[in-house]
């Protein structure tokens, strides 16, 4: 239910701040703070070096308005787990009412669970985070931010919706300016409060102004009317944070920015965000040929928002995710395509989502989240193979601070690994992209190991390619074949010019195989043969 506003809400906020110095005294400088933008890159404002956001979404906007998982693990354990997995950042969601409705914000955690008849979780919180039970919802939100800061994790405050609850649908009345729960003035008030509350909190590096605009009221004109107002309000309350703007249609569409830019009074802080799930494109992944679908969908993503990088704005892929059990065909095919494009574009990103359960989602207690990466009881990684692969996206390849000569890395989206150097005549191994070798893709289409005259040669079917010196031979020319452009194909000279492709076998070795699944067939999956030649100025082997 919507709650009415008390007459002088702001004073209560000030009071909370005064009463709780222990929650806000952490102003320890964090790596990278504050951040700003330099062309399409997010950079550390002091050193001007690139900071690549590798975030996980952590949900705190549902009915309880308490960060998920606190009934199962101590907060500090969860934060440390986030770090140990390899993330450097959390996109922490909140509902506007947490900032504007003091009767909500001042509820204690105990009351919030009691009001929803979720008393079973109270014992868990008492056990794992006893100190939180009688803190107010806004205090707990601050405590989560603060603990993430203690663990050197950057935070993006994400205004996920107005009224606590699951997001998002076209008719949840939270979708667009003017909806029942989307009063523009209240929204600006909420943004201003959050920006003010976290001013000087050094790990709060950005604010997502509104998640997934949508619904029958959405339109471009109002977007240009309100989004700059929100941006200006945040910036004037807290000039340190990045101001992150979402697009229309569930944040899948920023195409309108192609012809009309956003006019703001400040520079160096504007970032756009976009979401991309398998279901964004319906069921096409399962029913089409993955090369053809990947080619089409990649083009759609470039038209919807990818073009902003050429316009010199950072683009934050602030939600993507998939079923961690690996059983959803649509999801699996989508991820391989996404890994290729996101690596090529070297995007900042946030995975959806941290935990496998919600206290309460759409009336379901302890609801399952198949996209969650952690078992919340044991705080264990659900699928470490998949997580490792996704975290390959955290390596920056370009941008300020990556100052080696321009070269290529040969990225394999299916594993998240890169082709490494080999000693002459031996197999080409795959390995961690942060230690990847520098390759050049020449005008003759050969793949030459930088600093040598050796190039990748297709010798024999079923065998590893070799590094050889005859780089103008036909078996040293690699075409980027198929609609995905991710097959690297060559002609095998000792097999009557058979078209062959680089492939990765089940033991993660690079081998030469007949090209598979190039078009039409939708039953097969070409992903083991997908490679992306990614531009990099990262110093090799560092
Ligand atoms: C909680 O339980 C009480 C008693 O069974 C019921 O009257 C009330 O409507 C319930 N509240 C919610 C939010 O489900
Ligand atoms: C941007 O805003 C400034 C100041 O408000 C105004 O003078 C200018 O015309 C605007 N430009 C565009 C393209 O809207
Ligand atoms: C992890 O995901 C892979 C697909 O990437 C799948 O084959 C595997 O079964 C999953 N493992 C678990 C434990 O769910
Ligand atoms: C790799 O080789 C290319 C072409 O010879 C050169 O331009 C580039 O600077 C080299 N990069 C590195 C990292 O050595
Ligand atoms: C590589 O193979 C060639 C021809 O098979 C041979 O002449 C050469 O000695 C080998 N080089 C190494 C380092 O093994
Ligand atoms: C490489 O080219 C040289 C000179 O053309 C030739 O003698 C040699 O056999 C070639 N090696 C291979 C492995 O094709
Ligand atoms: C090459 O083609 C010839 C004639 O068609 C055939 O006899 C031979 O087996 C082929 N070789 C390979 C390796 O496919």
């Amino acid at each position: 239910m919507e709650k009415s506003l008390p007459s002088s809400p702001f004073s209560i906020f000030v009071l909370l701040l005064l009463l709780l110095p222990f929650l806000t005294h952490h102003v320890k400088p964090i790596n990278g703070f504050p951040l700003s933008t330099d062309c399409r890159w997010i950079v550390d404002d002091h050193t001007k070096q690139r900071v690549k956001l590798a975030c996980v979404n952590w949900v705190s906007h549902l009915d309880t308005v308490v960060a998920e998982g606190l009934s199962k693990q101590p907060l500090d354990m969860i934060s440390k787990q986030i770090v140990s997995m390899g993330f450097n950042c959390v996109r922490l969601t909140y509902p506007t009412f947490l900032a504007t409705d003091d009767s909500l914000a001042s509820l204690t955690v105990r009351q919030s669970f009691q009001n929803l008849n979720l008393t079973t979780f109270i014992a868990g919180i008492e056990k794992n985070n006893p100190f939180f039970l009688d803190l107010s919802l806004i205090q707990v939100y601050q405590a989560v931010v603060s603990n993430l800061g203690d663990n050197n994790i950057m935070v993006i405050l994400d205004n996920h919706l107005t009224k606590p609850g699951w997001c998002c649908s076209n008719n949840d009345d939270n979708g667009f300016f003017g909806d029942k729960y989307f009063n523009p003035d209240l929204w600006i008030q909420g943004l201003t409060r959050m920006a003010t509350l976290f001013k000087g909190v050094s790990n709060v590096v950005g604010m997502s102004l509104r998640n997934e605009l949508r619904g029958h009221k959405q339109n471009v004109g109002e977007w240009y009317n309100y989004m700059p107002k929100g941006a200006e309000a945040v910036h004037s309350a807290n000039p340190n944070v990045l101001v992150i703007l979402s697009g229309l249609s569930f944040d899948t569409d920023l195409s309108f920015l192609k012809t009309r830019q956003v006019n703001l009074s400040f520079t160096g802080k504007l970032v756009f965000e976009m979401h991309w799930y398998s279901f964004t494109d319906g069921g096409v992944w399962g029913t089409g040929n993955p090369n053809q679908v990947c080619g089409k969908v990649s083009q759609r993503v470039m038209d919807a928002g990818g073009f902003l990088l050429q316009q010199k704005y950072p683009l934050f892929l602030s939600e993507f995710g998939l079923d961690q059990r690996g059983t959803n065909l649509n999801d699996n095919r989508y991820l391989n395509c996404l890994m290729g494009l996101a690596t090529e574009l070297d995007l900042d990103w946030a995975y959806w989502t941290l935990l496998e359960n919600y206290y309460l989602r759409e009336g379901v207690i302890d609801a399952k989240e198949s996209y969650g990466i952690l078992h919340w009881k044991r705080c264990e990684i659900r699928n470490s193979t998949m997580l490792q692969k996704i975290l390959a996206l955290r390596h920056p390849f370009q941008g300020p601070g990556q100052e080696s000569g321009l070269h290529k890395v040969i990225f394999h989206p299916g594993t998240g690994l890169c082709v490494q150097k080999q000693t002459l005549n031996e197999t080409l191994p795959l390995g961690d992209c942060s230690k990847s070798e520098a390759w050049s893709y020449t005008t003759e289409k050969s793949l030459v190991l930088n600093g040598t005259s050796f190039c990748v040669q297709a010798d024999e079917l079923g065998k590893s390619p070799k590094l050889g010196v005859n780089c103008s031979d036909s078996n040293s020319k690699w075409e980027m074949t198929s609609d995905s452009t991710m097959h690297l194909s060559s002609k095998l000279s000792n097999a009557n010019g058979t078209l062959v492709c680089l492939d990765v076998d089940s033991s993660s070795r690079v081998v030469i195989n007949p090209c598979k699944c190039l078009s039409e067939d939708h039953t097969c999956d070409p992903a083991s043969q997908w490679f992306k030649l990614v531009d990099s100025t990262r110093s090799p082997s560092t």
Side-chain angles (χ1 to χ4, degrees):
M1 289 296 292
E2 188 173 5
K3 302 206 168 57
S4 58
L5 287 175
S7 53
S8 176
F10 198 68
S11 59
I12 299 178
F13 271 82
V14 172
L15 191 66
L16 288 179
L17 283 178
L18 293 177
L19 287 175
L20 282 162
F22 56 92
L23 283 178
T24 50
H25 79 280
H26 303 285
V27 275
K28 183 178 73 175
I30 190 165
N31 237 356
F33 173 81
L35 301 181
S36 61
T37 64
D38 171 6
C39 194
R40 59 147 290 192
W41 310 107
I42 294 170
V43 299
D44 176 327
D45 199 41
H46 299 300
T47 63
K48 306 297 177 197
Q49 306 273 293
R50 178 166 187 208
V51 174
K52 183 168 182 173
L53 300 178
C55 315
V56 63
N57 282 277
W58 191 354
V59 166
S60 182
H61 69 274
L62 292 188
D63 310 62
T64 61
V65 201
V66 173
E68 299 292 334
L70 296 182
S71 62
K72 303 292 179 186
Q73 290 294 328
L75 171 59
D76 194 54
M77 283 267 296
I78 302 176
S79 296
K80 289 197 160 52
Q81 178 70 270
I82 291 171
V83 175
S84 76
M85 287 188 286
F87 297 96
N88 63 14
C89 151
V90 162
R91 181 173 179 255
L92 186 63
T93 66
Y94 72 91
T96 303
F97 285 167
L98 178 66
T100 58
D101 178 348
D102 288 311
S103 62
L104 175 72
S106 62
L107 277 184
T108 65
V109 169
R110 188 194 302 276
Q111 287 166 337
S112 180
F113 280 90
Q114 277 168 349
N115 291 349
L116 293 159
N117 288 348
L118 297 174
T119 47
T120 52
F121 294 103
I122 294 179
I125 296 180
E126 190 141 44
K127 172 161 170 267
N128 290 295
N129 293 287
F131 176 62
F132 290 173
L133 217 41
D134 297 304
L135 291 186
S136 68
L137 297 181
I138 187 69
Q139 288 167 348
V140 167
Y141 192 87
Q142 286 175 281
V144 170
V145 171
S146 174
N147 185 268
L148 290 168
D150 290 345
N151 286 286
N152 229 24
I153 303 170
M154 295 179 279
V155 172
I156 291 171
L157 310 175
D158 167 50
N159 178 228
H160 209 69
L161 77 182
T162 303
K163 184 176 176 282
W166 182 251
C167 185
C168 304
S169 80
N170 267 321
N171 47 14
D172 61 12
D173 296 326
N174 277 267
F176 201 73
F177 304 102
D179 278 354
K180 183 170 174 198
Y181 298 114
F182 203 162
N183 174 329
D185 295 333
L186 192 71
W187 173 68
I188 287 178
Q189 190 183 70
L191 290 175
T192 305
R193 292 245 181 96
M194 291 302 267
T196 307
L197 191 58
F198 290 96
K199 189 174 177 174
V201 177
S202 64
N203 64 312
V204 174
V205 295
M207 287 178 63
S208 278
L209 267 48
R210 184 66 167 198
N211 181 65
E212 299 198 353
L213 295 161
R214 64 191 175 278
H216 69 276
K217 285 208 174 70
Q218 73 166 359
N219 71 87
V220 170
E222 295 290 54
W223 190 97
Y224 281 99
N225 179 21
Y226 289 117
M227 294 308 270
K229 286 185 182 144
E232 295 290 349
V234 166
H235 187 75
S236 62
N238 184 345
N240 279 326
V241 291
L242 296 174
V243 169
I244 307 171
L245 304 187
S246 152
L248 299 175
S249 302
F250 298 85
D251 201 10
T252 63
D253 180 16
L254 292 151
S255 60
F256 47 87
L257 288 157
K258 234 176 244 171
T259 49
R260 183 177 167 197
Q261 307 217 333
V262 179
N263 200 3
L264 298 173
S265 68
F266 58 91
T267 57
K269 293 291 179 186
L270 178 61
V271 172
F272 292 101
E273 65 181 310
M274 190 164 68
H275 294 177
W276 177 14
Y277 288 105
S278 71
F279 52 80
T280 308
D281 297 283
V284 293
W285 292 102
T287 55
N289 171 272
N291 280 309
Q292 293 171 309
V293 176
C294 183
K296 268 206 194 95
V297 170
S298 297
Q299 191 56 54
R300 179 192 65 69
V301 169
M302 291 310 292
D303 291 341
F307 69 91
L308 286 160
L309 299 168
Q310 274 111 57
Q311 289 191 356
K312 305 196 187 336
Y313 292 109
L315 179 65
F316 176 36
L317 179 60
S318 60
E319 283 187 28
F320 74 99
L322 79 164
D323 191 323
Q324 288 291 313
R325 293 167 297 188
T327 48
N328 183 316
L329 180 71
N330 266 304
D331 281 0
N332 295 343
R333 291 180 173 182
Y334 138 93
L335 180 67
N336 291 324
C337 180
L338 180 147
M339 294 279 301
L341 188 64
T343 302
E344 179 176 43
L345 300 177
D346 207 346
L347 293 177
D348 299 275
W349 54 273
Y351 181 81
W352 185 277
T353 177
L354 182 61
L355 293 160
E356 189 196 8
N357 293 74
Y358 300 110
Y359 307 118
L360 180 70
R361 172 184 161 172
E362 297 174 294
V364 180
I365 297 173
D366 220 356
K368 277 277 184 196
E369 169 58 272
S370 61
Y371 288 22
I373 51 177
L374 283 184
H375 282 292
W376 76 348
K377 285 201 185 100
R378 286 167 277 148
C379 210
E380 272 169 13
I381 295 165
R382 287 175 66 203
N383 191 331
S384 51
T385 320
M386 202 183 278
L387 184 64
Q388 273 319 106
K389 172 172 160 178
I390 290 164
L391 278 160
L393 296 174
R394 77 181 185 276
H395 304 297
F397 288 109
Q398 296 178 70
Q402 310 295 335
E403 280 161 13
S404 173
L406 181 64
H407 59 275
K408 300 281 185 191
V409 297
I410 309 174
F411 178 66
H412 185 250
T415 54
L417 299 173
C418 288
V419 177
Q420 310 285 329
K421 184 163 72 181
Q422 65 173 164
T423 43
L424 206 55
N425 292 354
E426 288 181 0
T427 58
L428 275 178
L430 283 176
D432 190 325
C433 292
S434 65
K435 300 189 188 75
S436 181
E437 293 307 320
W439 302 86
S440 298
Y441 187 55
T442 67
T443 45
E444 295 80 35
K445 301 192 170 168
S446 55
L447 285 165
V448 178
L449 184 62
N450 251 43
T452 75
S453 48
F454 297 116
C455 57
V456 178
Q457 293 185 332
D459 265 0
E460 221 180 314
L461 268 184
K463 295 275 169 61
S464 177
K466 294 279 182 324
L467 271 192
V469 289
N470 292 1
C471 296
S472 54
D473 288 359
S474 68
N475 68 340
S476 304
K477 287 191 202 304
W478 297 94
E479 301 280 349
M480 290 187 246
T481 318
S482 88
D483 286 6
S484 69
T485 68
M486 286 199 281
H487 285 267
L488 282 171
S489 69
S490 185
K491 292 210 170 73
L492 211 54
S493 40
N494 67 354
N496 298 345
T498 312
L499 195 68
V500 292
C501 279
L502 280 191
D503 201 345
V504 169
D505 69 12
S506 53
S507 21
S508 293
R509 284 178 315 208
V510 182
V511 290
I512 304 292
N513 275 329
C515 298
K516 65 178 175 187
C517 201
L518 290 179
S519 63
E520 282 155 29
D521 189 350
H522 66 271
T523 61
C524 60
D525 189 344
S528 70
Q529 297 190 342
W530 279 357
F531 291 86
K532 203 54 144 170
L533 299 179
V534 176
D535 279 339
S536 173
T537 53
R538 183 193 179 92
S539 170
S541 309
T542 53

